[in-house]
């Protein structure tokens, strides 16, 4: 089965009031764990690659691994570039086989963001590829994305309407209080659902995206720390908030930190309990299983997309 775009996936998600998991991938075991989970749950799937992942694993290796996942699973998979920072990286991914790209011009003034996003949209659509734009800035750190709390700004609903109309984007990442990384909230978790509802009413049937939406499951943080880690004060987005967002037009929820925590917690535990092991397969096999189990939990209890194929 070839790669698919997110167009039909989002249409079904919007109508069904559920979200599709967009999981960041960096290596074979992460891809296998995610895909095996989606296959068992019969869930739609977006695999996304950041600029950092392309530098780490190389574009060609990731493409071939995902080609293998398509052949092995038979799932409809959308391959998405996460946080493309300029036209050149988006063009490279479009030319290199991706079915979806994100152009992140949120750091730019409004008019410059529109101009850059429109340029990417025109090139992508001419090649059968869909585009996600971003309006508003999320605080936090993820790969090359670093935004301080004081520089984070929520998405303006009226600007969102203008942005979508003038750029022709297929989906829009908005800022309503989520953030990148494992340290999302210093106090009580809170998302601006009033703002989300306003944007949804102004952009009916248009798919919205939440970045920085890992729940930072406490059991993984605890396991990391129990086996030598130093992850203090980590806090993510509560699952019930993500479920609520999926009923208000959010069709795509990005998950990266939870994958990292699940894998790292499993590896730390294995190496502490099995100090004589030095074959990477001995600790990567349970790590892959940990990712699979975590993704299955997300599909069932956060995304509500089990059995939606």
């Amino acid at each position: 089965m070839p790669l698919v775009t997110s167009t039909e996936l989002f249409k079904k998600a919007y109508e069904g009031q559920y979200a599709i998991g967009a999981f960041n991938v960096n290596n074979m075991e992460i891809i296998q764990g995610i895909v095996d989970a989606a296959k068992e749950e019969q869930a739609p799937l977006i695999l996304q690659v950041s600029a950092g992942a392309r530098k780490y694993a190389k574009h060609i290796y990731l493409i071939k691994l995902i080609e293998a996942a398509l052949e092995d699973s038979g799932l409809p998979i959308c391959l998405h570039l996460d946080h493309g920072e300029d036209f050149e990286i988006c063009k490279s991914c479009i030319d290199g086989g991706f079915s979806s790209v994100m152009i992140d011009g949120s750091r730019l003034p409004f008019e410059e963001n529109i101009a850059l996003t429109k340029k990417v949209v025109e090139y992508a659509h001419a090649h059968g590829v869909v585009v996600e734009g971003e309006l508003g800035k999320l605080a936090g750190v993820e790969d090359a994305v670093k935004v301080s709390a004081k520089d984070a700004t929520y998405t303006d609903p009226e600007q969102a309407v203008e942005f979508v109309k003038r750029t022709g984007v297929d989906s829009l990442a908005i800022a309503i209080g989520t953030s990148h990384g494992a340290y999302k909230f210093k106090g009580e978790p809170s998302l601006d659902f009033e703002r989300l509802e306003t944007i949804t009413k102004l952009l009916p049937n248009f798919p919205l995206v939440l970045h920085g939406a890992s729940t930072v499951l406490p059991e993984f943080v605890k396991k990391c720390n129990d086996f030598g880690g130093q992850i203090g004060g980590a806090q993510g987005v509560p699952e019930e908030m993500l479920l609520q967002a999926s009923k208000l037009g959010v069709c795509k929820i990005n998950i990266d930190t939870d994958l990292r925590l699940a894998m790292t917690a499993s590896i730390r535990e294995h190496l502490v309990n099995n100090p004589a092991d030095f074959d990477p397969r001995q600790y990567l096999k349970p790590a892959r299983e940990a990712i699979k189990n975590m993704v299955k939990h997300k599909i069932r209890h956060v995304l509500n997309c089990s059995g939606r194929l």
Side-chain angles (χ1 to χ4, degrees):
M1 177 175 287
L3 289 168
V4 300
T5 68
S6 55
T7 302
E8 190 62 27
L9 301 182
F10 286 165
K11 184 176 183 294
K12 291 179 179 178
Y14 198 103
E15 292 171 352
Q17 294 191 323
Y18 62 88
I20 298 168
F23 298 94
N24 283 70
V25 299
N26 295 281
N27 63 17
M28 182 184 76
E29 286 78 14
I30 293 174
I31 292 171
Q32 288 175 327
I34 296 167
V35 172
D36 287 349
K39 184 176 181 180
E40 289 186 16
E41 293 296 322
Q42 285 295 285
L45 181 61
I46 297 171
L47 297 178
Q48 56 186 28
V49 174
S50 67
R54 289 177 86 232
K55 290 176 183 176
Y56 170 77
K58 292 187 180 180
H59 180 105
I60 187 65
Y61 283 90
L62 291 169
I63 284 286
K64 295 303 180 183
L65 285 168
I66 289 165
E67 286 177 2
L70 286 164
E71 185 175 341
D72 182 53
S73 69
L75 289 173
I77 296 174
C78 175
L79 175 57
H80 177 72
L81 168 67
D82 188 27
H83 286 292
E85 65 178 5
D86 53 37
F87 176 80
E88 285 69 30
I89 189 172
C90 290
K91 181 180 183 299
S92 176
C93 288
I94 293 165
D95 295 344
F98 282 53
S99 58
S100 175
V101 296
M102 178 199 182
I103 177 62
D104 183 1
S106 61
R107 69 193 182 281
L108 301 172
F110 185 61
E111 289 296 331
E112 292 181 30
N113 189 358
I114 286 178
L116 174 60
T117 303
K118 185 178 180 181
K119 182 179 180 181
V120 172
V121 168
E122 288 173 350
Y123 188 83
H125 285 182
H127 292 78
V129 173
V130 295
V131 179
E132 174 187 322
E134 181 164 353
L135 192 61
K137 299 178 186 177
L138 273 68
V141 178
E142 181 182 48
D143 280 354
V145 182
K146 297 179 176 65
V147 179
S148 67
K150 68 180 179 66
D151 291 329
T153 55
Y154 285 8
T155 303
D156 178 270
E158 297 291 343
Q159 279 194 336
V161 175
E162 182 180 354
F163 186 86
V164 169
K165 182 178 180 180
R166 291 176 60 187
T167 62
V169 287
D170 303 282
S171 61
L172 181 66
I174 59 171
I176 60 168
T178 59
S179 66
H180 295 118
Y183 306 92
K184 301 186 186 300
F185 303 100
K186 291 184 178 179
E188 192 72 21
S190 175
L191 297 184
D192 191 342
F193 284 109
E194 184 177 349
R195 184 179 301 269
L196 174 57
E197 287 189 71
T198 300
I199 295 171
T200 300
K201 288 176 182 176
L202 292 174
L203 289 170
N205 301 311
F206 187 83
L208 302 175
V209 177
L210 278 189
H211 284 238
S214 284
T215 49
V216 189
L217 295 166
E219 57 263 39
F220 294 131
V221 175
K222 182 178 185 303
K223 185 178 286 189
C224 280
N225 291 337
D226 286 347
F227 292 97
Q230 296 180 4
I231 305 171
Q235 185 177 194
V237 184
E239 293 181 351
E240 60 272 18
M241 288 186 179
L242 296 174
L243 277 170
Q244 185 177 349
S246 70
K247 294 175 170 55
L248 296 171
V250 171
C251 297
K252 174 175 176 273
I253 291 178
N254 287 15
I255 298 166
D256 187 7
T257 298
D258 283 337
L259 296 166
R260 301 180 185 193
L261 288 171
M263 185 170 218
T264 300
S266 174
I267 291 171
R268 282 189 175 278
E269 179 182 34
H270 184 93
L271 292 177
V272 168
N273 290 336
N274 303 274
D277 285 355
F278 60 90
D279 183 342
R281 293 170 296 183
Q282 293 170 311
Y283 53 82
L284 289 176
K285 183 177 179 180
R288 180 175 59 194
E289 189 70 13
I291 285 179
K292 174 184 168 182
N293 291 334
M294 187 276 293
V295 172
K296 289 181 70 170
H297 171 85
K298 296 285 185 185
I299 288 170
R300 292 179 184 177
H301 303 291
V302 178
L303 304 165
N304 191 28
C305 64
S306 184
R308 301 286 189 168
L309 288 183

